[in-house]
Amino acid sequence: MENEGASVVITHHIQEGKQKEYEKWLDEIVPVTKQAQGFIDLQMVKPIPKLTFVYTVIIRFDTINNLKNWMESPHRKRFIDQASSFLRKNDRYQINSGLDFLFSPQNESGKVPVRWKQYLVTWSAIYPLSLFIPLLVFPILRWLHIPLYHYLDALISSGCIVLLMVYVVMPSYTKLIKTWLYKQ
């Protein structure tokens, strides 16, 4: 289980008018985070201007221990202390191992589904996307006069699939099947 990788989903609720300060703070903490042992990647979802104030950051590490070491490090705590003046709520985060973050619409008990159910749900969501996304994306690439190149096509297609999985499909899909998914 140690080598399955780990993700943390961090949500920061920013005080109105403090977004620029927060983004300047991000410019400082992100490079330091990228230097942490076991860091793999980082994705950020910014709020909709003048509508929402929540930033969501997803950080992946190679092991849960490396992730916990960074999240609990004195260095990160100093950064969080600096940010406290523009956060509406305290630093909130949820650590997950493997692909658990895809199942983050938590049920009432806060439990993560068993692995075999995660596997079936993920597979059943990826399979139709892997059939239909290329049918949609490849003609657009050719229309844009981007030549047929297997590796580029696969890169763009898989990027679209992952984007849809994380932000569109899995949140809705897990809500739809939550009774079965979280049943022990």
Side-chain angles (χ1 to χ4, degrees), residues 101-116:
F101 74 96
L102 290 175
F103 300 89
S104 62
Q106 295 288 318
N107 60 348
E108 297 76 33
S109 67
K111 293 180 183 174
V112 174
V114 294
R115 293 265 183 218
W116 69 268

Side-chain angles (χ1 to χ4, degrees), residues 7-31:
S7 303
V8 62
V9 179
I10 304 167
T11 55
H12 285 153
H13 298 254
I14 309 305
Q15 294 180 24
E16 191 169 352
K18 301 284 186 168
Q19 289 81 6
K20 286 185 182 180
E21 289 177 56
Y22 179 78
E23 291 195 9
K24 183 179 178 192
W25 175 83
L26 282 174
D27 290 341
E28 295 173 19
I29 193 172
V30 166

Side-chain angles (χ1 to χ4, degrees), residues 143-156:
W143 181 77
L144 293 171
H145 304 290
I146 297 172
L148 176 65
Y149 185 62
H150 175 73
Y151 296 111
L152 179 63
D153 288 355
L155 177 71
I156 293 171

Side-chain angles (χ1 to χ4, degrees), residues 17-162:
K18 301 284 186 168
Q19 289 81 6
K20 286 185 182 180
E21 289 177 56
Y22 179 78
E23 291 195 9
K24 183 179 178 192
W25 175 83
L26 282 174
D27 290 341
E28 295 173 19
I29 193 172
V30 166
V32 176
T33 304
K34 289 181 177 181
Q35 296 301 313
Q37 182 176 345
F39 172 84
I40 295 175
D41 69 8
L42 179 146
Q43 295 149 351
M44 184 176 319
V45 180
K46 293 184 178 185
I48 300 166
K50 299 181 181 179
L51 188 61
T52 64
F53 304 98
V54 179
Y55 285 75
T56 302
V57 182
I58 302 168
I59 308 172
R60 289 187 327 126
F61 277 76
D62 60 350
T63 67
I64 198 155
N65 284 339
N66 282 337
L67 174 57
K68 285 181 179 178
N69 288 341
W70 166 246
M71 294 304 292
E72 297 167 2
S73 72
H75 205 63
R76 183 179 181 279
K77 286 181 183 175
R78 280 193 295 277
F79 273 107
I80 296 302
D81 289 343
Q82 292 172 0
S84 65
S85 66
F86 38 83
L87 297 179
R88 284 185 182 188
K89 300 179 180 179
N90 292 336
D91 179 49
R92 298 178 64 190
Y93 63 88
Q94 174 185 349
I95 294 176
N96 300 300
S97 62
L99 292 175
D100 292 344
F101 74 96
L102 290 175
F103 300 89
S104 62
Q106 295 288 318
N107 60 348
E108 297 76 33
S109 67
K111 293 180 183 174
V112 174
V114 294
R115 293 265 183 218
W116 69 268
K117 287 185 179 183
Q118 290 183 40
Y119 164 77
L120 287 177
V121 170
T122 305
W123 184 25
S124 68
I126 287 177
Y127 178 69
L129 289 174
S130 68
L131 294 175
F132 294 114
I133 292 300
L135 295 174
L136 296 172
V137 171
F138 296 168
I140 294 171
L141 294 176
R142 301 302 86 81
W143 181 77
L144 293 171
H145 304 290
I146 297 172
L148 176 65
Y149 185 62
H150 175 73
Y151 296 111
L152 179 63
D153 288 355
L155 177 71
I156 293 171
S157 178
S158 64
C160 292
I161 290 169
V162 172

